[in-house]
DNA sequence: AAAGCGCACAACCGCACGATA
DNA sequence: TTATCGTGCGGTTGTGCGCTT
């Protein structure tokens, strides 16, 4: 037995909202609140709209203090960091950005940030409809690219393909950003240079956010993210790492692009977001060269990059090593000489079996995250939101 | 000038989950 | 314990606009 529809779809209006409808909804909610029942609300005010539609319209558009467009660099920074850390939990990410809605962030990520960071074009909807999108082809058409499996990739459920694509996208983003930043720190040997050495992405310095000044729902989420960051800092060795790195944490506070302390985008008091040092987004082409040149300059196992002991820790380096060893040769001779950041389709590609590469990468990524340990004193108890986030962080939700 | 195309944004859809009867 | 309901979330689709060919 299927679930009953939330409203009579035949009698409700769909499509764009008119100013009159907006005014009705806004006026009613501002005066009476939602009454705790969105389903009944449209009937009360004479709107031929689904309750869910009313809720969405209010939350995403009519609600006071909503910001639209013009994302700042620090907002982009936060979105990127959190996306890498927790994936497409847009509502959680939105909780870190006052005035932004999850829908806005989701759209911004899909239409702009993703392209900006991964240097890929948004797949044409027409192309998707015609099944010609290269990314879908790489993910969903694994059997075509990995013929040794005898079409096994094609047997992967569509949902699993999508989830893997998301996870791999995050890995790829992570690798690209690390590769880019690494170029600034790889050749340094002096303390000064080390101070200028790039941090690892996402920025993982301990957050000092004043959670008490935030709304309750934001606080729970913030604490959760903080837990994750604490843990990652511990993993990375940033907190007690090499002396040069510790100095860098202090000295680099004012450094553009690569300021470790610039990571403290949630450092400001009163719950506001202090502008971090310039993020230094890069053009895809320049990034590709930088990342490529960087890849072979580092020890890929154990010690992180630049010899400074900074990184995501052994699990991360192992993941990186795994991916590099598996995909590093995909670019041919040039890649062998200079390293190669795999593109998303390449990450999906598998030289030795259809779904194996995708699944392997996911497992590796999951293993890395699962191996993370929070300090006992940092465990949050009785907090469903933070608990959920911990689940995400600790591997339960990384399938997405 | 017109068709094709990509982009950005708003809105919809279906599922999962918690609350409640 | 189970069924139902309301809500929240993430993914997907619809649509209008502007640019390119």
């Amino acid at each position: 037995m299927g679930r009953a529809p939330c409203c009579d779809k035949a009698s409700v209006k769909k499509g764009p909202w008119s100013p009159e409808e907006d005014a009705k909804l806004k006026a009613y909610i501002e005066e009476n609140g939602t009454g705790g029942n969105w389903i009944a609300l449209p009937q009360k005010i004479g709107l031929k709209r689904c309750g869910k539609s009313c809720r969405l319209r209010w939350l995403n558009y009519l609600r006071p203090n909503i910001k639209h467009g013009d994302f700042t660099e620090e907002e982009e920074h936060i979105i990127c960091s959190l996306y890498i850390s927790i994936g497409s939990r847009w509502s959680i990410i939105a909780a870190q950005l006052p005035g932004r809605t999850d829908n806005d962030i989701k759209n911004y990520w899909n239409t702009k940030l993703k392209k900006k960071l991964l240097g890929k074009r948004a797949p044409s909807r027409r192309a998707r409809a015609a099944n010609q999108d290269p990314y879908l082809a790489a993910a969903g058409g694994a059997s075509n690219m990995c013929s040794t499996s005898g079409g096994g990739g094609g047997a992967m459920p569509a949902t699993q393909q999508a989830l893997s694509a998301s996870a791999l996208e995050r890995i790829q983003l992570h690798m690209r950003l690390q590769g880019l930043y690494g170029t600034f720190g790889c050749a340094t040997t002096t303390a000064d240079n080390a101070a200028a050495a790039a941090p690892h992405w996402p920025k993982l310095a301990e957050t000092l956010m004043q959670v008490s000044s935030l709304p309750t729902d934001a606080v729970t989420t913030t604490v959760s993210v903080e837990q994750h960051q604490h843990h990652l800092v511990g993993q990375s060795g940033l907190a007690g790492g090499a002396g040069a790195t510790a100095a860098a944490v202090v000295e680099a506070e004012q450094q553009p692009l690569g300021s470790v302390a610039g990571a403290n985008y949630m450092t400001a008091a009163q719950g506001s977001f202090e502008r971090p040092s310039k993020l230094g987004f890069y053009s895809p082409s320049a990034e590709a060269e930088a990342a490529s040149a960087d890849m072979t300059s580092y020890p890929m196992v154990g010690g992180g990059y630049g010899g400074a002991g900074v990184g995501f820790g052994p699990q991360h380096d192992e993941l990186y090593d795994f991916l590099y060893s598996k995909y590093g040769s995909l670019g041919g001779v040039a890649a062998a000489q200079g390293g190669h950041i795999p593109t998303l389709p390449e990450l999906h590609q598998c030289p030795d079996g259809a779904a194996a590469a995708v699944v392997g990468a996911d497992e590796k990524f999951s293993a890395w995250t699962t191996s993370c340990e929070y300090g006992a004193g940092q465990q949050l108890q009785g907090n469903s939101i933070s608990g959920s986030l911990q689940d995400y962080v600790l591997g339960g939700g990384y399938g997405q």
Side-chain angles (χ1 to χ4, degrees):
Chain A
M1 182 176 69
R3 180 182 170 77
C6 66
C7 55
D8 181 6
K9 294 188 185 302
S11 64
V12 299
K13 182 183 172 188
K14 290 162 69 171
W17 281 63
S18 68
E20 292 77 22
E21 288 176 313
D22 282 345
K24 265 189 180 178
L25 181 60
K26 195 162 188 281
Y28 181 86
I29 293 179
E30 282 178 347
E31 185 158 344
N32 306 294
T34 65
N37 190 338
W38 284 106
I39 300 298
L41 191 144
Q43 278 192 328
K44 286 183 189 171
I45 56 179
L47 276 179
K48 293 186 186 310
R49 289 280 181 175
C50 171
K52 290 175 71 170
S53 181
C54 292
R55 174 183 163 271
L56 216 57
R57 185 65 178 171
W58 171 256
L59 291 178
N60 289 337
Y61 199 81
L62 299 175
R63 192 161 47 108
N65 304 320
I66 291 288
K67 285 192 281 184
H68 288 287
D70 296 329
F71 279 76
T72 63
E73 277 190 13
E74 60 261 41
E75 284 177 320
E76 291 182 341
H77 189 172
I78 292 168
I79 293 169
C80 292
S81 296
L82 291 179
Y83 183 83
I84 291 171
S85 295
I86 64 175
S88 57
R89 268 67 189 189
W90 303 117
S91 59
I92 293 174
I93 295 173
Q96 302 295 326
L97 300 173
R100 299 293 185 184
T101 69
D102 53 355
N103 208 39
D104 240 12
I105 294 170
K106 180 172 55 182
N107 283 333
Y108 188 67
W109 170 263
N110 285 328
T111 60
K112 290 182 182 171
L113 262 187
K114 189 193 288 183
K115 280 180 286 179
K116 193 172 182 177
L117 293 168
L118 296 178
K120 64 185 186 182
R121 296 163 61 93
S124 157
R125 290 243 289 275
R126 289 174 178 85
R128 272 190 288 162
N131 197 24
Q132 292 174 339
D133 174 60
Y135 297 96
L136 284 184
S143 58
N144 295 332
M145 303 180 70
C146 309
S147 56
T148 57
S149 73
M156 191 189 303
T159 51
Q160 185 178 342
Q161 292 168 12
L163 297 182
S164 296
S166 174
L168 287 172
E169 185 176 88
R170 286 162 56 206
I171 294 172
Q172 187 202 30
L173 176 60
H174 195 101
M175 294 170 73
R176 279 174 174 263
L177 289 166
Q178 287 240 348
L180 174 70
Y181 277 129
T183 59
F184 296 91
C186 61
T188 61
T189 52
T190 69
D192 284 347
N193 283 341
H200 287 260
W201 191 276
K203 303 294 189 62
L204 297 169
E206 296 183 64
T207 174
L208 303 176
M209 191 175 210
Q210 307 259 331
V211 295
S212 60
S213 61
L214 292 175
T216 305
D217 56 345
V219 168
T220 51
T221 300
T222 300
V223 171
S224 304
V225 172
E226 185 180 359
Q227 286 291 309
H228 181 44
Q229 291 179 329
H230 269 296
H231 133 65
L232 286 172
V233 167
Q235 288 287 320
S236 73
L238 256 182
T245 306
V249 171
V250 177
E251 290 182 28
E253 188 133 1
Q254 303 303 321
Q255 297 276 345
L257 182 60
S259 159
V260 173
N264 292 335
Y265 50 78
M266 290 188 283
T267 298
Q270 284 84 46
S272 62
F273 293 94
E274 189 173 86
R275 194 192 185 295
S277 301
K278 186 172 177 57
L279 184 55
F281 282 118
Y282 51 95
S283 68
S285 54
E287 165 271 324
E289 287 183 20
S292 187
D294 163 61
M295 288 287 283
T296 54
S297 303
Y298 296 110
M300 300 303 285
V301 178
Y305 303 95
V310 185
F312 278 110
Q315 285 78 19
H316 173 263
D317 292 330
E318 188 189 356
L319 167 71
Y320 208 129
D321 188 36
F322 165 76
L323 289 169
Y324 181 71
S325 66
K326 194 163 188 64
Y327 302 107
S329 63
L330 288 174
V333 175
Q337 291 174 346
H340 173 67
I341 298 286
T343 64
L344 192 58
E346 287 169 346
L347 281 171
H348 278 293
Q349 230 172 6
C350 54
D352 53 0
V358 172
V359 172
D362 280 354
E363 287 175 349
K364 208 71 181 178
F365 195 59
S366 179
W368 166 49
T369 57
T370 304
S371 67
C372 299
E373 294 177 1
Y374 288 103
Q378 295 176 342
Q379 291 284 354
L380 294 179
Q381 303 294 336
N383 182 324
S384 61
I385 297 179
S386 60
S388 297
L389 186 60
Q390 280 193 350
D391 287 342
Y392 301 151
V393 171
L394 293 175
Y398 264 118
Q400 292 218 14

